[in-house]
Amino acid sequence: MATVGATESSAVQSDSNRTGRVLRVGPLKPSLMDTLAGDYDALVLPDVAERDEFLARHGESITAAVTSGRTGVDATLIEQLPNLGAIVHFGVGYDTTDVDAASARGVVVSNTPDVLTDCVADLAVGLVIDALRQVSFNDRYVRAGRWVAEGNSPLTSQVTGKRVGIIGLGRIGSAIADRLTGFRCSIGYHNRNEIADSPYTYSPTAAGLAGSVDILIVAASGGSGTKHLVDSDVLDALGPQGYLVNVARGSVVDQDALVERLADGRLAGAGLDVFADEPDVPEKLLGLDNAVLLPHVGSGTVETRAAMEALTLQNLDQFLADGTLTTPVTR
Ligand code: 8YV
């Protein structure tokens, strides 16, 4: 099969790129894995030890890869699949895929935006409420018999009316802002560029935003451009009365700096759905009552995961039918 040359990311692929095999890269939702195996006869990328033999045998036949932000398709794998035409992601984040390497080869890339926005935003608000009102801590307090033994638990911090800063005012960041406006919170944001006509206050730097709010919420995409955007300076600007919530990617926050500050009181608390090295969470963080820790479940509802699955398959089907994607990633 011929390799297509570099094209726009949503451009139509040549027929030869659509007639080959589908490859699953990494674990996915079980029903999606079943569908890929049953309806598409998809191959599954093996562990590194068996990969060379597998790729020597099947590499040339593979024209579409289906993956998620958890695994992705790196530049090496793209190079090893000479007839790859599309990388289809289950999930909105695609920071583990080398989109530049894909674009250079004319490989189109899709994700599943919009369908998970509400659920991730709902969970961000849940983490804000939990971190400030100590819902999880108080649940543990009751179960451990501490209410009986020690009396009332310590007072917490009110959510309504707080100053909120959002790092990454995209689809999810905007949905979080909408919700917290209902709590009469003032909203500021930091993006690479100011958004024309936004009703919210723009800060050109993350530290500037952190210094002007009570709650800093991370909703920015992961990847090299945002790595440790929330560093020790930003966390110090947020300060001992400040709370950090992260529903985006662990890589955006300097996790070591965060844990130190939560442990010694330089930050009031945190609500975290994502971590630097999932599923590992630092031992020290596990022992902190001022941190709410979730196992990356922002989009994890029956409804949203079904919608993500349907959109993933729609992208795959569309690519296989005409070489285009329903929701291509644009840069
Ligand atoms: C995961 C997410 O992708 O969409 C994203 O970027 O982080 C989540 O929805 C999902 O868990 C699939 O791995």
Side-chain angles (χ1 to χ4, degrees):
M1 275 183 220
T3 305
V4 280
T7 57
E8 291 298 312
S9 64
S10 58
V12 176
Q13 299 289 306
S14 69
D15 282 346
S16 60
N17 282 72
R18 308 198 304 270
T19 50
R21 308 278 315 255
V22 172
L23 175 71
R24 170 164 69 77
V25 180
L28 295 168
K29 184 173 186 261
S31 56
L32 178 55
M33 293 196 287
D34 288 348
T35 302
L36 290 173
D39 296 358
Y40 296 81
D41 192 25
L43 296 161
V44 178
L45 186 70
D47 290 341
V48 180
E50 294 148 47
R51 206 164 280 182
D52 285 351
E53 196 190 325
F54 171 89
L55 290 169
R57 195 154 158 222
H58 299 291
E60 292 210 351
S61 69
I62 291 159
T63 57
V66 182
T67 188
S68 76
R70 194 168 146 190
T71 315
V73 178
D74 61 18
T76 308
L77 185 55
I78 291 170
E79 203 182 313
Q80 290 166 327
L81 301 173
N83 295 305
L84 187 67
I87 303 171
V88 173
H89 289 88
F90 172 79
V92 71
Y94 49 86
D95 44 305
T96 47
T97 284
D98 194 326
V99 179
D100 290 336
S103 301
R105 267 271 311 280
V107 175
V108 293
V109 179
S110 68
N111 64 346
T112 61
D114 298 318
V115 293
L116 47 63
T117 297
D118 284 331
C119 268
V120 178
D122 290 351
L123 194 85
V125 174
L127 282 172
V128 167
I129 296 174
D130 198 332
L132 272 75
R133 299 301 308 273
Q134 297 251 270
V135 178
S136 295
F137 165 77
N138 275 304
D139 177 86
R140 293 193 294 275
Y141 192 84
V142 173
R143 289 172 197 273
R146 294 179 65 185
W147 193 11
V148 176
E150 301 173 40
N152 290 339
S153 63
L155 297 181
T156 62
S157 189
Q158 173 174 318
V159 174
T160 294
K162 283 284 188 301
R163 299 169 301 165
V164 171
I166 298 179
I167 298 213
L169 195 71
R171 295 178 179 90
I172 293 171
S174 300
I176 295 168
D178 280 353
R179 284 157 174 74
L180 288 174
T181 302
F183 286 75
R184 301 198 296 277
C185 291
S186 61
I187 310 286
Y189 72 99
H190 168 69
N191 270 12
R192 258 173 313 188
N193 298 307
E194 186 168 6
I195 298 170
D197 305 327
S198 171
Y200 308 125
T201 312
Y202 178 65
S203 285
T205 64
L209 179 66
S212 66
V213 299
D214 307 299
I215 306 165
L216 189 66
I217 303 179
V218 182
S221 314
S224 55
T226 56
K227 188 166 165 60
H228 290 190
L229 176 59
V230 177
D231 59 11
S232 48
D233 290 344
V234 173
L235 295 171
D236 288 340
L238 187 57
Q241 307 300 320
Y243 293 83
L244 182 86
V245 166
N246 190 357
V247 290
R249 285 290 183 266
S251 60
V252 184
V253 176
D254 180 342
Q255 184 168 278
D256 292 341
L258 172 66
V259 177
E260 277 171 28
R261 283 158 180 76
L262 286 169
D264 66 18
R266 280 181 284 164
L267 268 185
L272 307 172
D273 186 40
V274 289
F275 300 88
D277 184 25
E278 297 173 7
D280 292 331
V281 174
E283 195 65 36
K284 199 168 179 183
L285 198 48
L286 297 176
L288 296 179
D289 272 331
N290 58 348
V292 183
L293 311 176
L294 300 182
H296 200 147
V297 290
S299 67
T301 64
V302 172
E303 297 90 335
T304 288
R305 287 283 166 86
M308 290 164 64
E309 180 173 0
L311 186 51
T312 302
L313 291 173
Q314 191 179 329
N315 272 292
L316 180 60
D317 288 342
Q318 188 170 323
F319 173 75
L320 296 173
D322 67 12
T324 65
L325 295 166
T326 315
T327 46
V329 163
T330 51
R331 318 198 90 196

